[in-house]
Amino acid sequence: MSLNRREFTIASLGTVAALGAAGAGAKTPPVNRRIVLASRPTGVPGLDNFRLEELPVPEPGEGEVLIRTRYLSLDPYMRGRMSDAASYAEPVGVGEVMVGGTVSEVVASRNPKFAVGELVSAFAGWQDYALSNGTGLMKIDPRIPRPSYALGVLGMPGLTAYVGLLDIGEPKAGETVVLAAATGAVGSVVGQVAKLKGCRVVGIAGAREKCEYAVRELGYDTCISHYDADMGAQLQAACPDGIDVYFENVGGAVWTAVMPLLNTFARVPVCGLIAHYNQADMPPGPDRMPLLQAMILRRSMKMQGFIVSNHLARLPQFTADMSGWVGEGKVKYREDVVDGLENAPQAFLGLFRGANFGKLVVKVN
């Protein structure tokens, strides 16, 4: 069965509407809406891979807190969790709540470390409520501009950009840094931090308005649309001295255009490959692995994948640096906010079409 966005929303809210009509004046007990993995996708996922359920709100036991989701982060890595293929993290089980980072409010507490009303960064997933014993919860500084920033520039995407660029990319003033998904949750931070370090920054994005935003608002030297047939030629013209750092989070045709331009001693941090997440088979075309291996050898290049959860020791320094840059207006951040938990599946699918403009966040009502 395939549902469009309107059908999914109407079906999702059917029970709530019925309760409202039947309960004239009666107080309906709160329910915990949760979106679970209904089935594993093959190739591109669809709305039928998700299911909205309603359960009673759980009660916290001794030492636990009940948290209510206010904001849910939607990120490309979640596509990998929908698959049962071997990976760096356990997959979501069929029938289980989809995973995801959240900004949540403590609404009941039997844990002395957390008070009702406090906002915390959590990993509560795609649901209204969750129980926690406090492990993994981080209190959110009330001074941050928006609580949802804890899911973006001051959260996992920001730390990913920080570690990947500074620790692996090691940019030096005057070098050329190239990045794809240049206005996304991670890319927009990478580009701005590279500018702070004195680098020339070339972004690659999709829609023309995204490229214009990257130059006008984020301060990139130039930005190229990957929709342009001559993207490779444009990139070569934009990088007359080659590429010293390429921050890889896309793959596909962008990587094909970047690879010949990499300089001797170039560094390539790899944090994602969104162009390939929905592929069920090997991509078509020639095998370029021997060419890449030869380039790595002859040009003394470094290409390193990384998982941000392995770099949590950098969190204190990252928080201090990024909070300062954001507070001083040196790093700008854009969010694409979707209203309603029931709209999370449709919004998530849009990630793979480049439909979002900025960090994709769901405001949970």
Side-chain angles (χ1 to χ4, degrees):
M1 179 179 68
S2 180
L3 299 175
N4 61 34
R5 180 172 181 169
R6 181 174 179 275
E7 289 169 339
F8 182 87
T9 302
I10 291 173
S12 301
L13 296 178
T15 303
V16 175
L19 285 171
K27 199 167 185 179
T28 304
V31 296
N32 181 32
R33 300 174 304 159
R34 61 182 207 163
I35 294 175
V36 303
L37 180 65
S39 58
R40 299 203 185 280
T42 300
V44 180
L47 290 177
D48 54 339
N49 295 126
F50 303 94
R51 183 174 67 249
L52 180 69
E53 299 179 343
E54 293 183 352
L55 297 175
V57 175
E59 294 286 339
E62 187 65 35
E64 291 185 325
V65 294
L66 176 66
I67 56 177
R68 182 176 63 196
T69 303
R70 288 183 53 178
Y71 294 96
L72 166 67
S73 178
L74 295 180
D75 302 284
Y77 78 84
M78 296 171 177
R79 174 62 182 85
R81 302 292 180 87
M82 297 173 74
S83 168
D84 58 1
S87 185
Y88 62 89
E90 288 295 317
V92 175
V94 174
E96 293 181 354
V97 177
M98 283 291 297
V99 296
T102 63
V103 168
S104 301
E105 179 184 356
V106 177
V107 293
S109 178
R110 298 183 65 184
N111 185 319
K113 295 180 180 179
F114 298 94
V116 171
E118 288 184 320
L119 292 182
V120 295
S121 174
F123 204 68
W126 298 23
Q127 58 183 340
D128 285 320
Y129 295 90
L131 290 176
S132 172
N133 63 6
T135 303
L137 298 187
M138 294 181 61
K139 295 183 182 182
I140 295 175
D141 189 330
R143 296 172 296 178
I144 70 173
R146 298 180 185 176
S148 54
Y149 276 18
L151 301 175
V153 64
L154 299 177
M156 181 270 289
L159 181 60
T160 300
Y162 186 90
V163 168
L165 179 66
L166 300 183
D167 294 0
I168 300 174
E170 300 179 301
K172 302 174 182 63
E175 290 190 325
T176 296
V177 175
V178 173
L179 59 140
T183 62
V186 175
S188 63
V189 179
V190 170
Q192 292 180 90
V193 174
K195 288 300 294 182
L196 290 175
K197 298 301 178 181
C199 298
R200 185 168 187 276
V201 174
V202 177
I204 302 173
R208 182 58 56 190
E209 64 176 326
K210 293 182 179 180
C211 288
E212 293 171 353
Y213 170 81
V215 174
R216 183 183 68 250
E217 298 293 334
L218 305 183
Y220 294 7
D221 293 278
T222 189
C223 187
I224 299 164
S225 173
H226 61 72
Y227 293 138
D228 292 345
D230 63 342
M231 175 188 66
Q234 289 187 50
L235 183 62
Q236 185 172 11
C239 304
D241 298 321
I243 298 172
D244 300 295
V245 179
Y246 173 57
F247 195 100
E248 176 64 287
N249 54 2
V250 171
V254 175
W255 169 247
T256 300
V258 164
M259 190 167 65
L261 303 177
L262 292 168
N263 287 332
T264 299
F265 302 119
R267 288 83 69 197
V268 182
V270 182
C271 81
L273 296 166
I274 193 171
H276 304 290
Y277 287 166
N278 291 323
Q279 289 179 341
D281 301 303
M282 290 293 291
D287 179 6
R288 294 186 176 87
M289 181 58 73
L291 174 61
L292 175 60
Q293 291 175 316
M295 287 181 62
I296 290 173
L297 172 62
R298 294 169 186 164
R299 300 185 189 179
S300 300
M301 289 164 33
K302 177 175 77 171
M303 188 173 189
Q304 179 180 336
F306 70 102
I307 305 301
V308 70
S309 58
N310 295 328
H311 298 267
L312 297 183
R314 294 287 276 144
L315 194 55
Q317 188 62 53
F318 156 74
T319 302
D321 288 344
M322 195 62 68
S323 297
W325 292 333
V326 171
E328 295 166 9
K330 294 179 178 179
V331 170
K332 300 177 182 179
Y333 206 65
R334 177 172 178 145
E335 294 180 319
D336 191 336
V337 180
V338 174
D339 283 321
L341 179 67
E342 67 277 5
N343 293 316
Q346 183 70 57
F348 172 71
L349 299 181
L351 273 173
F352 302 96
R353 303 190 305 271
N356 61 300
F357 192 169
K359 173 71 187 86
L360 188 56
V361 176
V362 176
K363 184 177 181 181
V364 179
N365 300 316

